[in-house]
Structure formats: C-alpha cells, structure tokens
Amino acid sequence: FYTDWHYAAISLLTSIEGYDTIDSIASYLNLSRAKVASAVEFMIRAGLIVEEQGKLSMGSKSTHIDSKS
C-alpha cells in the first residue's frame, strides 16, 4: 500500500463524491485505467476499498506500519 503514491491517492479519492469509479479516478490522477484497476483490485482484497453496486468507497480497515519496518 505504501510502495507508491497512487495507492493512497486512490483510497482517498474514493471518499470524495464523483470519484467512485476506476475511470473517474484514472482520469483525475492522469493514470492508465489498467494501473488504477490493478491497484483497486489489490485494495479491495485488502479491505481498504469496498465495491458495492459498481461504486467504490473507502473500506473499514486501517493501515499500520510496524515500528520495525
């Protein structure tokens, strides 16, 4: 999640009205649809983003970086 800026940007954008699809996020961030789709797929599996009825929103999981990392 913290390996590249676009993960955090995508996650945060899903909390803003109008940025609830892969296409709207890719357009806003000027990223390819494939890159955003791949990141969204990962974040859905990790519980960081939720997809309901084709719309994306922030998930309920929080992120934590261990002090030893």
Side-chain angles (χ1 to χ4, degrees):
F1 181 77
Y2 292 109
T3 59
D4 202 336
W5 66 270
H6 70 274
Y7 290 102
I10 292 167
S11 178
L12 291 171
L13 273 176
T14 63
S15 70
I16 300 171
E17 187 175 335
Y19 297 101
D20 54 5
T21 66
I22 290 171
D23 290 329
S24 63
I25 293 168
S27 177
Y28 184 81
L29 296 176
N30 197 29
L31 295 172
S32 71
R33 187 183 194 291
K35 184 168 192 147
V36 173
S38 176
V40 165
E41 185 179 306
F42 163 75
M43 289 188 284
I44 288 172
R45 285 193 317 269
L48 300 170
I49 288 179
V50 175
E51 183 177 17
E52 294 176 350
Q53 299 178 353
K55 303 292 183 179
L56 302 170
S57 62
M58 288 185 94
S60 60
K61 284 196 173 182
S62 61
T63 57
H64 172 77
I65 297 177
D66 191 276
S67 62
K68 296 177 184 176
S69 69

